[in-house]
Amino acid sequence: MADSASPSASGRSASQHHGIPISIGAMLVTLGVVYGDIGTSPMYVTKALLAGQGGIMSVTEEFILGALSLVIWTVTLLTTVKYVLVSLRADNHGEGGIFALYSIVRRCARWLIIPAMLGGSALLADGVLTPAVTITTAVEGLRTIPELHAVIGDNQVKVVIITLVIVCLLFAVQRAGTSKIGRAFGPVMTFWFLFLGVTGFMHVVENPVVLVAFNPLRGIAFLLSPNNHAGIMILGSCFLATTGAEALYSDMGHVGRGNIYATWPFVKVCLILSYLGQGAWLLANAGNASLADIADLNPFFQMLPDMIRPFGVILSTCAAIIASQALITGAFSLVSEASRLDLMPHMQVFYPAETKGQLYIPMVNNVMWVGCIIVVLLFQSSAHMEAAYGLAITITMLCTTVLLFVYLHRIRHVRLFPWVFLAFFVALEGFFFVSSLTKFFHGGYFTILLALLIMSIMVSWYNGSAVERRQANLLPIRNYLEQLDRLRHDSTYDKLCDNLVYLTNNTRTDYLDRDILYSIFDKHPKRAAAYWFLNVEVTDEPRTFEYSVENFGTDYVFRVHLYLGYKVNQRVNAYLRQIVGDLSASGELPPQKSDYSVYNTPGPIGSFRFCMVYKTLAPESDVEASERSAIALKYAIRRHAGSPVQWYGLENSNVIYEYVPLFTKFKAVDHLTRVYPEG
């Protein structure tokens, strides 16, 4: 095998994508799954804008109308135009996201792997910050309730402790799956958006002047105005309103394009009403000295009537948890897609729900868990987290723009529009990126360093795999049938077992990786009664239990393809015994008799040995220093990615671990001269 015994990512054949129909139920799921991140942005966007301007005492009509205009048009241009109207059309059999987009365009140019890896790494890094900032913001809202403020006070340590408890509970339940809880996500988020819209509308009616913010010239004028205390950095705060747009595109495969089209207008109206309502409340309370004494004033909570505020805090906490859950699930899907593209190591994947869309990858869950805890402890308050938030996602958006341009120009063969699209959005997102760079020393360094770490893993894995592919050699099985027949009858070698099994990730029935045959013949010949070469393929159906066998006209060589549904535990040992039993019963496999057994009558199936083949780089291998480093890094990553023995249920089986040299060409060494002892 080229690596660990990884199953093919595809099913027995490419499944046809059937669009998810538009329905009330599907729209509810869409509201619960897709809009969590962007739906919680009203909790902190206006707060960040206000802090950048200098607080409640610096509020002016020019600031409110200008800032609101920038927010409205940021959401419109980036989310509505780029993602909803353009990106959703670029799907890979219904799947969306930057890696799905790269899958479509990767044959157009080799360099496209760079924006794919860079964008994916930045998206994963920003995903670590999202649960921390949303949950911390919601918990801080408890202070706006007088009774709870008396308990919590201004002690941020208590907020940190509550946040950490919620974060730990959130990540702990991932193993069990959230399908039952998830059924409530849709109705809760629907109610959340209605709450945003209604509470915002109440203040808009009282101060309708905020509707002037729909004029984009007000935003441009304030951006260039000397009264803009934040300068270009204000765009970094405005950008927070659209950080969930990339997740919207990534989740398309879970809910279908049509359901996003049907629900986005409702979501956008509610979001805009909330922003306008907060702006109207700020205008009504400009210069209020009593509010100036409140640390980290959050207009979202303060604008709520006293009787409604406790309910609003509880609802916002639920929305923050749902948003975090959506980000975690999205990270699982993103890593799974990266593994299928061979940009990351294959890891153990569980499907706790009855839908393939919900994954659980223990290693990713644990890494994000630790990352979120570090973020909460490092930044302490939501104000500090907001200073770090959004920088990495601007990189992802720029990378998606480049890939979309290639898709429109090279795949869809559109002439003029792709160039206009590229120029406009690179300029716009570049402007947001430059403005967000001011966040680097305020905490943005954390997500950038995390993104670089994730990308270094991808680059190392990709380069190592490229070196392996250059030396990979598939050999036709039929050319070695005679040797295998002679070996199984060669009594000069001890019999290793009755059934020698190799797991392979090669799906071609008539070919085997050279390393497997090298293991059998050259790494001390392995004599067995029958040789089994097995490949596990995961299908798109949940409960598939099928297999196919090619015996090449023999009764001692068997090429097995095992087709298992994504919900099926891959207990290869148990399934292979059944297959061997079926072939023995049909006469395709001769009886494997034994004279000894704990049972009165020994069964017709003999002993098994599973051979796990790993490639290694010998010191004598004739390779360049860069290739040696690439392979060494890949194998170092592989050692920490988990054991295929556990994935395939071979913990209690008789497993042989064997290492074969990656390169058969070795450096020439100086000839040794024999000398004789003086006597």
Side-chain angles (χ1 to χ4, degrees):
M1 289 188 308
D3 193 57
S4 61
S6 308
S8 168
S10 60
R12 185 172 19 167
S13 60
S15 60
Q16 296 295 320
H17 170 68
H18 299 284
I20 300 174
I22 300 175
S23 65
I24 298 298
M27 289 165 63
L28 280 174
V29 171
T30 302
L31 289 169
V33 171
V34 172
Y35 302 113
D37 190 7
I38 200 169
T40 52
S41 56
M43 288 196 296
Y44 47 79
V45 170
T46 311
K47 174 190 170 188
L49 289 167
L50 183 64
Q53 185 66 12
I56 192 76
M57 303 303 290
S58 301
V59 169
T60 63
E61 184 174 298
E62 180 188 13
F63 159 64
I64 293 298
L65 296 181
L68 287 177
S69 180
L70 290 172
V71 169
I72 291 170
W73 285 101
T74 296
V75 173
T76 299
L77 292 174
L78 286 181
T79 308
T80 303
V81 176
K82 178 184 173 181
Y83 283 97
V84 176
L85 297 181
V86 179
S87 296
L88 292 186
R89 311 298 297 180
D91 68 290
N92 185 22
H93 300 290
E95 296 293 332
I98 192 165
F99 286 135
L101 181 57
Y102 169 69
S103 298
I104 304 172
V105 302
R106 60 177 170 173
R107 291 181 178 84
C108 297
R110 292 183 61 183
W111 62 268
L112 292 173
I113 188 65
I114 298 173
M117 288 194 295
L118 182 60
S121 301
L123 184 59
L124 284 170
D126 222 56
V128 172
L129 202 60
T130 300
V133 68
T134 53
I135 293 174
T136 302
T137 303
V139 172
E140 287 175 346
L142 296 172
R143 287 177 173 155
T144 63
I145 303 172
E147 294 80 7
L148 292 178
H149 185 271
V151 177
I152 299 175
D154 295 324
N155 187 350
Q156 192 65 19
V157 174
K158 294 180 180 179
V159 172
V160 169
I161 292 173
I162 297 172
T163 301
L164 288 177
V165 169
I166 296 175
V167 166
C168 289
L169 288 173
L170 177 65
F171 282 98
V173 301
Q174 300 301 315
R175 178 178 293 274
T178 55
S179 56
K180 293 182 180 179
I181 303 174
R183 295 191 186 104
F185 284 1
V188 171
M189 290 305 291
T190 302
F191 194 79
W192 166 253
F193 286 118
L194 288 172
F195 180 80
L196 292 179
V198 171
T199 53
F201 181 75
M202 290 167 55
H203 290 281
V204 172
V205 171
E206 295 174 359
N207 206 341
V209 69
V210 292
L211 296 175
V212 177
F214 281 103
N215 181 357
L217 297 179
R218 296 303 296 255
I220 297 172
F222 181 70
L223 181 64
L224 304 175
S225 171
N227 298 322
N228 175 15
H229 298 169
I232 192 175
M233 190 177 176
I234 192 174
L235 291 177
S237 299
C238 294
F239 186 77
L240 296 176
T242 192
T243 53
E246 190 72 36
L248 180 151
Y249 180 34
S250 299
D251 285 328
M252 176 171 59
H254 299 164
V255 298
R257 180 193 303 126
N259 289 297
I260 296 178
Y261 285 156
T263 52
W264 171 243
F266 163 71
V267 171
K268 184 180 178 182
V269 167
C270 293
L271 291 175
I272 298 302
L273 282 173
S274 180
Y275 289 125
L276 292 174
Q278 292 178 59
W281 179 85
L282 284 171
L283 281 177
N285 291 274
N288 189 326
S290 61
L291 293 174
D293 295 331
I294 300 176
D296 291 334
L297 176 69
N298 192 334
F300 176 78
F301 292 111
Q302 292 294 336
M303 75 173 184
L304 300 176
D306 292 340
M307 294 182 60
I308 299 177
R309 191 174 299 155
F311 173 76
V313 172
I314 294 172
L315 184 60
S316 66
T317 304
C318 293
I321 293 172
I322 292 172
S324 302
Q325 171 63 46
L327 260 295
I328 296 168
T329 303
F332 293 157
S333 299
L334 201 65
V335 171
S336 177
E337 187 69 24
S339 296
R340 283 197 288 271
L341 291 170
D342 209 15
L343 300 179
M344 276 190 170
H346 294 277
M347 289 175 270
Q348 190 172 24
V349 179
F350 295 99
Y351 298 89
E354 288 300 321
T355 58
K356 192 177 182 182
Q358 187 184 4
L359 315 176
Y360 171 65
I361 305 177
M363 179 167 290
V364 176
N365 186 72
N366 294 338
V367 169
M368 291 188 68
W369 191 343
V370 173
C372 280
I373 290 175
I374 292 174
V375 168
V376 174
L377 294 176
L378 180 65
F379 294 105
Q380 299 282 316
S381 70
S382 63
H384 294 153
M385 294 178 194
E386 289 154 13
Y389 194 39
L391 174 57
I393 205 68
T394 59
I395 299 173
T396 302
M397 289 189 171
L398 281 166
C399 294
T400 301
T401 296
V402 173
L403 295 176
L404 279 170
F405 164 75
V406 177
Y407 168 77
L408 294 168
H409 183 57
R410 298 286 298 277
I411 304 298
R412 295 292 297 272
H413 303 292
V414 181
R415 293 185 179 180
L416 180 61
F417 177 72
W419 296 99
V420 176
F421 177 86
L422 180 69
F424 180 79
F425 281 102
V426 164
L428 179 64
E429 291 163 352
F431 212 58
F432 280 114
F433 174 70
V434 171
S435 67
S436 297
L437 280 177
T438 57
K439 298 182 175 185
F440 184 83
F441 294 106
H442 298 281
Y445 63 87
F446 180 85
T447 49
I448 294 299
L449 291 176
L450 184 57
L452 290 175
L453 175 62
I454 296 170
M455 186 169 181
S456 68
I457 294 173
M458 289 189 185
V459 170
S460 301
W461 191 265
Y462 178 80
N463 288 339
S465 299
V467 175
E468 284 186 335
R469 282 193 296 270
R470 285 199 295 271
Q471 66 82 49
N473 192 2
L474 295 178
L475 302 175
I477 301 178
R478 297 181 188 275
N479 292 357
Y480 297 89
L481 295 178
E482 183 181 348
Q483 279 198 70
L484 289 169
D485 189 32
R486 282 194 290 112
L487 177 57
R488 74 188 184 110
H489 289 109
D490 192 343
S491 59
T492 59
Y493 293 98
D494 293 333
K495 186 176 180 180
L496 183 64
C497 59
D498 290 300
N499 299 285
L500 181 60
V501 185
Y502 285 85
L503 295 177
T504 173
N505 56 9
N506 171 36
T507 59
R508 298 180 65 179
T509 300
D510 293 335
Y511 289 83
L512 280 179
D513 194 304
R514 176 195 59 198
D515 299 322
I516 292 178
L517 295 169
Y518 179 87
S519 169
I520 295 173
F521 296 126
D522 296 85
K523 293 279 290 185
H524 188 81
K526 296 176 179 60
R527 182 183 169 209
Y531 298 90
W532 302 82
F533 308 108
L534 187 145
N535 168 248
V536 179
E537 299 189 54
V538 179
T539 70
D540 290 331
E541 298 299 323
R543 300 289 178 185
T544 305
F545 287 94
E546 297 177 353
Y547 71 91
S548 66
V549 178
E550 171 61 61
N551 60 17
F552 308 100
T554 74
D555 60 0
Y556 57 90
V557 175
F558 300 93
R559 187 70 165 91
V560 180
H561 293 280
L562 188 59
Y563 306 108
L564 299 177
Y566 62 82
K567 283 285 290 180
V568 175
N569 288 327
Q570 297 181 7
R571 313 301 297 181
V572 169
N573 190 3
Y575 300 141
L576 184 59
R577 283 190 173 273
Q578 178 194 325
I579 294 170
V580 173
D582 291 347
L583 297 183
S584 178
S586 67
E588 297 170 78
L589 176 70
Q592 298 174 345
K593 295 182 179 179
S594 174
D595 295 329
Y596 306 97
S597 174
V598 295
Y599 304 105
N600 293 331
T601 304
I605 302 174
S607 60
F608 284 81
R609 296 291 291 273
F610 290 83
C611 189
M612 309 296 293
V613 177
Y614 295 97
K615 293 184 179 182
T616 59
L617 188 61
E620 301 82 10
S621 298
D622 187 11
V623 295
E624 297 179 2
S626 59
E627 292 183 328
R628 182 178 293 276
S629 299
I631 289 296
L633 286 170
K634 174 174 180 177
Y635 291 170
I637 295 168
R638 186 183 65 186
R639 284 194 296 272
H640 294 88
S643 171
V645 171
Q646 182 181 16
W647 305 345
Y648 297 116
L650 303 178
E651 301 97 323
N652 300 318
S653 305
N654 200 335
V655 180
I656 306 170
Y657 297 91
E658 192 158 76
Y659 297 86
V660 300
L662 177 63
F663 295 91
T664 55
K665 181 182 178 183
F666 293 93
K667 298 175 182 177
V669 295
D670 295 334
H671 184 72
L672 293 172
T673 302
R674 181 178 179 180
V675 297
Y676 296 91
E678 297 180 2

